[in-house]
Amino acid sequence: MLDIRFIRENAEAVKTAMRNRNADVDVDAVLELDSRRRAMVTEAEELKAERNRISKSIGLMIKEGKDPEEIKAQVREMGDRISSLDEELRQVDSKLRDGLLFIPNMPSATTPVGKDETANPVVRSWGEKKTFDFTPKPHWDLGADLGIFDFERGAKIAGSGFPLFKGRGAKLERALIQFMLDLHTEEHGYTEIAPPFMCNATAMTGTGQLPKFAEDMYNVPLDGLYPIPTAEVPVTNMYGNEIIDQELPILHTAYTPCFRREAGSAGKDTRGLLRVHQFDKVELVKFTTPETSEAEHEKLTADAERVLQKLGLHYRVIELCTGDLGFSASKCYDIELWAPAQDKWLEVSSCSNFKDYQARRANIRYRDENGKPAFVHTLNGSGVALPRLVIAIMENNQNADGSIDLPEVLWPYMGGLKKLV
RNA sequence: GGAGAGGUGUCUGAGUGGUUUAAAGAGCACGCUUGGAAAGCGUGUGUGCGUUGACGCGUACCGGGGGUUCGAAUCCCCCCCUCUCCGCCA
């Protein structure tokens, strides 16, 4: 969330930013709550100061054997006023917090201003489109023929969008996860985390999924838990309500399954692995100082790209414009893989710098050079998500006979298998 | 799921209704002392919010939330977490 003091002092800039985001936010209503709240706090605290003084004197009177009943009655009235003021204050406070929780992050100064995804500039690309001397098949046909997944049975037991991998398909999932985790821990300096796959509402609020995107989340109301939509939630919230005393930056990587209801996407990208309710992902998460977060953002993006380079897959990096930027992000690069049978680019990673937005929501701090507590900057990106990665591997590496060549870096993880036949 | 014991500041640890403004010790920082160090001595050492140009002042915070009271770390209620034992169980 944004600092209320920042909003107070930069109201016009905030309003402009919200317009650029196409976000419908009533900044003035929040400012009004803020000024009401401060007036009430001052009044309540003055009363409390007086009550504390008098209560102390009552203690003395009793000790001296005087009768305090008259003063007690007087303070009792004061207490009633304080109680009702506190109650009112609680309400204003929670309204203000709710208001703040629905205001998205400020786009960074370098984020291009634009209306929607059509305004996202391509930053760079790697490799080139593969040419085929036959018509490349979509991954769902290839996979069904090879028997490496069985979406019908997945749908039978959980519903559509819950993919079921089988045999070498299941092993390929495991191999890719292991390959990516090894790369990030051994070559990029990340510490691996195996976190809980469910989080409470506080954690979901800390990273920005709640309260606004409740409909996108699965939830288990009986226990107040949410199956995680991304490892970002548990791994970022690891340090919630802490003043981190380790040296920054902290780099974490984590494999988790991810669960998304995809509300509002019904009927879109329904075939195969394009858009599913459950998928595997290796995530990269960083905690940095404000001074280093921009450089760490570039490095994090490069770490994700390295996965695709090692796998030999053609990709491009785009930067999200203000109109397409995620709620909590200040700056974001999407990495997209080319899928020849789909004839389109598929997003496999969103690498975001959240600045202090999540840190303020989750209360994650460090001590700055003066020893004063300050909010960290949080960053994350997929490194990378599996379904579309599997699509790209299958569709790009297919042969005319329906077999699929496996990238060389995966051979050791596939027990020496070089080809899916 | 049942029974019990706990949760106090950076740490250890006291505190069961009123100068507690959370004792004491350790740690840490600074200063004195010293040829230098250690020891010793002295001073300081939390977070949020409000207010202020600033120094500061006020307020809240002893796992979390409510309540009783003029006044709560302390009494009452609910919840969370940790440990021990029992039950169940991969």
Side-chain angles (χ1 to χ4, degrees), chain A residues 137-339:
Chain A
K137 292 183 188 166
H139 66 281
W140 50 81
D141 286 340
L142 292 164
D145 292 346
L146 289 166
I148 62 175
F149 38 62
D150 184 343
F151 295 150
E152 289 73 18
R153 288 197 169 97
K156 176 163 69 180
I157 55 182
S160 73
F162 287 90
L164 185 153
F165 296 90
K166 189 178 167 190
R168 291 156 302 165
K171 188 162 186 170
L172 178 60
E173 288 283 303
R174 187 154 52 87
L176 283 165
I177 292 163
Q178 189 117 345
F179 157 66
M180 292 189 278
L181 286 173
D182 284 350
L183 177 67
H184 296 312
T185 55
E186 289 163 20
E187 295 183 30
H188 297 156
Y190 292 76
T191 301
E192 185 176 350
I193 303 292
F197 297 163
M198 297 219 254
C199 281
N200 59 33
T202 303
M204 298 290 283
T205 304
T207 29
Q209 281 74 24
L210 292 180
K212 188 165 182 191
F213 304 101
E215 287 185 0
D216 296 330
M217 307 301 141
Y218 286 99
N219 80 79
V220 184
L222 193 60
D223 298 287
L225 292 170
Y226 298 79
I228 55 171
T230 159
E232 161 191 355
V233 180
V235 177
T236 303
N237 283 287
M238 275 173 66
Y239 300 99
N241 287 319
E242 285 187 33
I243 298 176
I244 297 174
D245 60 2
Q246 317 173 40
E247 200 178 327
L248 299 178
I250 293 172
L251 280 55
H252 284 322
T253 184
Y255 154 72
T256 69
C258 301
F259 303 92
R260 300 185 181 180
R261 293 189 64 236
E262 297 294 343
S265 305
K268 193 174 163 193
D269 299 334
T270 52
R271 294 210 67 178
L273 291 167
L274 283 169
R275 185 177 296 277
V276 286
H277 291 305
Q278 178 186 320
F279 61 93
D280 292 310
K281 180 159 65 67
V282 168
E283 185 75 359
L284 304 172
V285 178
K286 291 189 179 184
F287 303 83
T288 77
T289 63
E291 291 75 27
T292 60
S293 76
E294 285 181 29
E296 292 293 344
H297 185 211
E298 300 298 326
K299 277 162 73 180
L300 183 145
T301 308
D303 293 338
E305 288 176 60
R306 189 88 189 106
V307 170
L308 309 181
Q309 291 168 7
K310 288 221 163 206
L311 291 168
L313 296 167
H314 176 40
Y315 69 84
R316 67 178 191 180
V317 178
I318 62 174
E319 175 162 13
L320 300 193
C321 70
T322 53
D324 200 26
L325 200 59
F327 182 79
S328 302
S330 175
K331 185 179 179 69
C332 179
Y333 297 116
D334 272 7
I335 305 175
E336 300 181 326
L337 281 174
W338 178 250

Side-chain angles (χ1 to χ4, degrees), chain A residues 223 376 390 397 417:
Chain A
D223 298 287
V376 301
V390 169
N397 295 5
L417 191 72

Side-chain angles (χ1 to χ4, degrees), chain A residues 5 10 38 45 65 122 228 322 329 364 383:
Chain A
R5 279 167 294 205
N10 302 276
R38 282 184 293 145
E45 289 190 350
V122 176
I228 55 171
T322 53
I364 305 170

Side-chain angles (χ1 to χ4, degrees), chain A residues 371-382:
Chain A
K372 287 286 151 213
F375 291 111
V376 301
H377 279 196
T378 59
L379 300 89
N380 68 54
S382 321

Side-chain angles (χ1 to χ4, degrees), chain A residues 341-359:
Chain A
Q342 310 295 321
D343 194 34
K344 63 182 178 191
W345 293 99
L346 303 179
E347 178 191 331
V348 283
S349 179
S350 261
C351 299
S352 305
N353 187 349
F354 302 95
K355 304 283 178 73
D356 62 5
Y357 186 87
Q358 292 182 326

